[in-house]
Amino acid sequence: MPRGEIPLDPDGGPLFEFAARLRKLREQAGRPTYRDLAQRAHYGIATLSSAAAGRQLPSLAVTLAYVRACGGDEREWKVIWQRTADACVGADASADADTENRNRGGTKPPYAGLFAFGEADAGFFFGREKLTGALVEHLKEKRLLVLFGASGSGKSSVLRAGVIPAFPDGSALVFTPGAHPLEECGSRLAARAGTAPGPVHAKLAAEPGTFHRMVRQILAARQDTGPAPEELLVVVDQFEELFTLCRDVKERERFVAALVHAAQAPDSRTRVAIAVRSDFYTHCTRLPGLAETLPHAHHSVGPMTAEELRAAIVQPAARCRLTVESALLTALTADAHGRPGALPLLSHALLETWKRRRGNALTLAGYRAAGGFEGALTQTAEELHDALDGCRQEAARRLFVRLVALGEGTEDTKRRVPRQELDSGPDTDFVLEQATRARLLTADGDHVEIAHEALIRCWPRLARWLEEDRGQERLHRELTAATTLWESMDHDPDTLYRGARLAAARELPPQVLTARERAFLDAGESAAQQAQQRDRHRLRRLRRLSGALVVLLLCAVTAAGFAVRAQDTVTRQRNEAVALQAAAESVRLSQHSPSLAVQIALAAYRQSPQERTRDALLSTLSVASMGSQALGSRPAGQAPAEHTPAGHAPAVTADGRTLAMADGSRIVLWDMSNPRLPRRLGTLDADGVGLNAIEFTGDGDTLAGTGVDRVLRLWDVSDPRNPALLSKRPTGHSGPLYSIALRRDGRMAATSSFDDTIRLWDITDPARPRMLGTLTGHEGNVKPVAFSPDGRTLASGSDDRDVRIWDVTDPHHAVPVAVLEGHRHFVDALAYSRDGRTLLSGSDDRTAKLWDVSALPRHRELGELARHADIVTGVAFAPHGRTAVTVGVDGAVNVWDVTDRAHPAHLAHLTNPRGTVKEVRPLAANGTFLTVTAHYSVQIWYTDLDRALADACDRIRTTIGRDQWARHFPRLDYAPPCPRRT
C-alpha cells in the first residue's frame, strides 16, 4: 500500500466534501493504488490523485474516469459534480458550453497543439530565436544541415516556422520521405517544374545528379517569368521514415546521394535541411553518402531553457491580446523544463487551456480542467474514444494502430497512410472526421497521419493496443505493403502470397482487414488452388517419365553421390569444429573486446547454428549489452561509474522499469526502460551503514532496505529523482539480516535473519512501521523470504534444507501450512510465479526445484532444474511465466522453458566470464534479465534469439579485420557478419 494521502482541509468547503466522497469511494473499492487506477481509467497518476486532493475541482471527464475505475455509479456522480461546480463557481457550471461558443467564433488559436508550427504560424513561434539563428548561419555557410533531436523537441517547427521564413518567399521545398522517397522527391520536383513525375523519378533512380540539375532548371525557369530566388531550400522532415517505412536499401542510398550531391556540387544552388529523430543517429551512420558529412553537418535540438519556455508560453498569447496567469506560467515552466520531448505536450496543454480561458486570461484552473501537462493529451484522446459507440470504437482502434510504424530497436513512430489503404465506410469516415477535428490526426489530400508522436507515448490506451499483439501487427503491415505492390502491378499473380506466408496471413482476424487486403488474400488462395491442380497433373506425367530414368541414373548417381557426400561431410565437420572453437573463444574475449567477441560469436552461429554457438552468441551480447565500461569489475570501495549501474544488492519494480542498486551505504536509482541505455535517476544515503537487502513495494513508490546495523529503513521513491527517507526502525533480530520481502499491496514486510527467525512488519504507514510478530520453526539460518502474489502466504528458505510456507492472513497469528522437503543442502533463493501457483527454489545442492503450491497444504515437487556446477544463488520467473532463469557460483545463467512445470526444458546455458553470479531480476523489456556478479558488475541478458540476431550489429564499433578473421576462422572465406565500420 502506498503512503497515506495528505489530510483534507476541513475549511475547504464544497471541495472538501467532494474530495472526501471520492476517497470514501476508493476505500469501498479496496483502496487500489493510483497506479492501478491509472491503468483502469487511462489518466495519469498525478491527475487522479489531484482529483481527490481537495485543492481544485477536477474536470467531469476525470471525475467519471475515477468513478468508473472504482466501480461507482456514474449517473450519481454527474449530479454530485454538477452541484459542487455550482457551489464553487456558480456560473462556471456552464463553462464547457461557453468554451464551445467561443471556439465557434473562428478565432485562430495562438498555439499549434500537436501540429508542428508552419510558415503561416511564424508570427506565433517564439522561444527558439537563438537556435533559429544558428541553423540559418549553418545553412548559409555549409549548405547541408542534419538536425537531430528527440521526438517532440521541436525539430519540424524550428525548420518550418523559424528557418524557412529567413529565406526568400517561395524558395523552400518541404516534404517527408515516406515509403518511396525517390518517388516522393520526383513528384515534388516535377510539380515545381511543371512536368510529369514519372520521367523525373526514373532519372533520379538512375543518376543522383538529376536532383541538382532539376533545381537549377526550376530556378532558371522562374527567373524567366520574373523575380525569383537564387537558391532553393529543401527541407526533408521526418527523415526517420527512410528507415521505418522505406524497405529498399538501394532506394535509401540513392535518395541520400541525390540530396548530398545537390548540396555539395561546386555550382550548387540548393541548401538541404534534414530533420531526424536522435535515436536514428546510428541508422544515419550506415548510409555511405551521409556518414562522411555528418561530423560537419549535424546540429542538435535540446530542451528549451526556462526563459525560452516563458517566451513560447507568453508571447503567442500576447499577440492575441491575452494574458497568462503567473501561477499557470510557473506550473507550465516547471512541468516542461528539462524535458526534451515535452514541446507538443506543452503546446497541446496550452491549446486546451486556451479553449477554457476566462475572458482574455489563460488560467491555472483552465489548465487543470484540461487535465494538466500530459493529462491534457490523454483527456482529449479519451474523450474522443468515449464519445464513440462500440462499432466506432473498434474502427478507431483499427485506424490508430494502422497509423503507427512499429519500431525495430527504436521507439514506435507515426506512419503516413494513403487514404486508399483505409476502408471507406461510415464508421471509419466518422472517426477520421472527429479525430481530425480534435487535432489528433491530420488529413491532407490523399494521406492521413497522427498529428504528433507524443500521442503514441502519452495515450495509454493506444500503447495497450499496440502491445497486445505486435507480431500480428507486423504481419498485417507486411500484408498491406504486399497488397499495394499487387495493385500497382495490375494484379500480377507473381506478387501474390504463397505457402506459409499465405497461411500466416489467413490467421489475421477478418475484422482488421480492408477490402483490398481481403481481395489480395482471396486472389492468393485462388492462385494456390490452381497451382495445386496443375502440380497434380504435372506430377502424374513426371511419375511415368521418371520410372524409365531411375534405373539408368541409379548406378551413376550412386557412385558420384558417395564421393560428393564424403567431401561434403569432411568440409561440414571441419567448418563446424572451427565455429565451435570460435564460439568458445568469443566468450573468453567478451570481457576485454566485446565488439570483436560479438562478431566472432555471430559469425560462428551463422556458420553452424546449433545450441553451443547460440549460447555463445547470447552470452557475448549480454556481456556487451551495456558496454565494456559498464561491465568491468571494480575494486572494493571504489565508487561506480555515474552512467552505469553497479552494486551488490538489486531491487526492481514490478513493472521492471526502475532499478535500485545498493552499493555499500548508498542506493542509486536507475531508469531501465531501455536496458541498453540505463538513466541515473537519484541517490539514497543510509548514513554510512552497509546495506545488504532492498525491495520495492508493488506500486514502486516505497523502497525498503536492511543493513548491517539490523535496522529497517523505508524511503519514499515516488519521485525517483528526489527520494526521501521516511523511517528507521531497529528490527530486534539478534543475528545478521539476510533478506527482506514486501507484500505486493505494500502493507506488510518480512525480514529474515541468521537468528533462525522471520519478523513481520506493518508498513501501511511507511513513516511508522510496526512489528506484527515473529515466525519460528526453522532450525538454521533463515535466508530468502518471498510473499505470494496474493499476499496470503510467505515462503522462507533456510540452512536446515527446508522451504516453509506460512499463512500470514492474520500476521499476529501466522502459522506454517507446508514444509517443502527435497533439497540436500542450504536453500539460498526463492521466487513465486506471477499466478502464485508455482514456487521456484535454489540450493547449495546445485539444483533448483519447481513446487506446486496451488492447493495448500497439499503440495508436490514438479520438476528439477539441474544444469549448474556449483551453488544456485538466484532464481526468477519471466513476467509472462513461461520462462525461468537460474544463476550460480559457476558463473552460469541458465534459461528454462517451464510451460510444462512437470517437465521443464533447458533453453540456453549462458556464461559470465567474470565468475560468480549472485542475483537475477526480470526487466520490463521482453526476454531480458538483470544479474549482479560477485564483483559488483551488472549485466543484461537477452534470452530472445530473434531479437539478439536483429540487434547484434548495433553493438560493434569496428568491423572485424582480415587478420582477426583468419585467426579465429582459418580456411574460411572472409565474411564479416556486420557492415563495415571504422
Side-chain angles (χ1 to χ4, degrees), residues 546 548-560:
S546 61
L549 295 173
V550 167
V551 176
L552 296 175
L553 294 175
L554 186 59
C555 295
V557 170
T558 301

Side-chain angles (χ1 to χ4, degrees), residues 261-430:
H261 179 269
Q264 295 183 340
D267 55 346
S268 171
R269 298 182 64 182
T270 308
R271 301 185 189 275
V272 178
I274 295 171
V276 58
R277 264 179 30 190
S278 53
D279 52 331
F280 284 85
Y281 182 89
T282 304
H283 295 68
C284 292
T285 61
R286 297 174 187 162
L287 295 171
L290 196 57
E292 299 176 0
T293 62
L294 272 180
H296 310 289
H298 84 280
H299 205 291
S300 59
V301 180
M304 279 182 159
T305 66
E307 287 298 326
E308 289 174 334
L309 284 171
R310 281 192 282 270
I313 295 167
V314 174
Q315 293 299 328
R319 279 292 181 97
C320 296
R321 298 184 178 180
L322 300 173
T323 61
V324 178
E325 191 177 74
S326 59
L328 171 61
L329 178 60
T330 301
L332 285 168
T333 305
D335 287 341
H337 188 242
R339 299 178 60 175
L343 296 186
L345 298 177
L346 172 66
S347 187
H348 182 77
L350 280 167
L351 177 62
E352 293 300 311
T353 305
W354 174 82
K355 293 178 181 178
R356 293 163 175 81
R357 63 193 182 278
R358 300 300 169 86
N360 67 338
L362 276 64
T363 65
L364 182 62
Y367 173 64
R368 287 173 173 166
F373 194 68
E374 293 187 358
L377 180 54
T378 303
Q379 181 170 312
T380 300
E382 281 300 310
E383 287 174 350
L384 167 71
H385 182 269
D386 292 345
L388 304 173
D389 58 25
C391 294
R392 286 174 174 172
Q393 286 183 349
E394 188 59 34
R397 173 175 180 158
R398 294 195 298 269
L399 175 62
F400 278 96
V401 169
R402 189 178 285 269
L403 294 176
V404 177
L406 302 179
E408 299 284 353
T410 59
E411 291 183 357
D412 296 337
T413 58
K414 65 179 182 176
R415 175 172 174 258
R416 196 162 179 254
V417 172
R419 281 183 181 267
Q420 66 178 15
E421 185 178 311
L422 308 174
D423 263 346
S424 181
D427 290 341
T428 301
D429 292 345
F430 181 83

Side-chain angles (χ1 to χ4, degrees), residues 788-805:
S788 62
D790 62 8
R792 295 178 179 274
T793 59
L794 175 76
S796 59
S798 168
D799 285 356
D800 63 9
R801 308 180 183 182
D802 294 339
V803 177
R804 288 178 175 260
I805 299 182

Side-chain angles (χ1 to χ4, degrees), residues 49 61 110 167 219 268 291 325 330 459 506 540 563 585 686 716 939:
S49 62
F167 287 84
L219 296 177
S268 171
E325 191 177 74
T330 301
W459 190 12
R506 278 297 187 189
R540 285 195 292 268
E585 182 64 21
D716 176 7
Q939 291 168 301

Side-chain angles (χ1 to χ4, degrees), residues 645-661:
H648 66 94
V652 178
T653 53
D655 62 8
R657 297 182 181 278
T658 304
L659 165 69
M661 284 300 305

Side-chain angles (χ1 to χ4, degrees), residues 151-163:
S151 175
S153 60
K155 305 180 296 296
S156 300
S157 295
V158 76
L159 289 179
R160 294 170 184 258
V163 172

Side-chain angles (χ1 to χ4, degrees), residues 885-902:
V885 173
T886 59
V887 301
V889 172
D890 57 357
V893 178
N894 282 310
V895 186
W896 307 84
D897 180 354
V898 293
T899 306
D900 182 355
R901 304 289 166 89

Side-chain angles (χ1 to χ4, degrees), residues 626 645 650-652 659-661 672 887 917 919-923 928-932 938-941:
M626 286 164 47
V652 178
L659 165 69
M661 284 300 305
M672 300 296 290
V887 301
V917 183
E919 302 278 0
V920 59
R921 299 288 188 275
L923 295 177
T928 59
F929 289 83
L930 175 145
T931 62
V932 180
V938 173
Q939 291 168 301
I940 308 299
W941 301 85

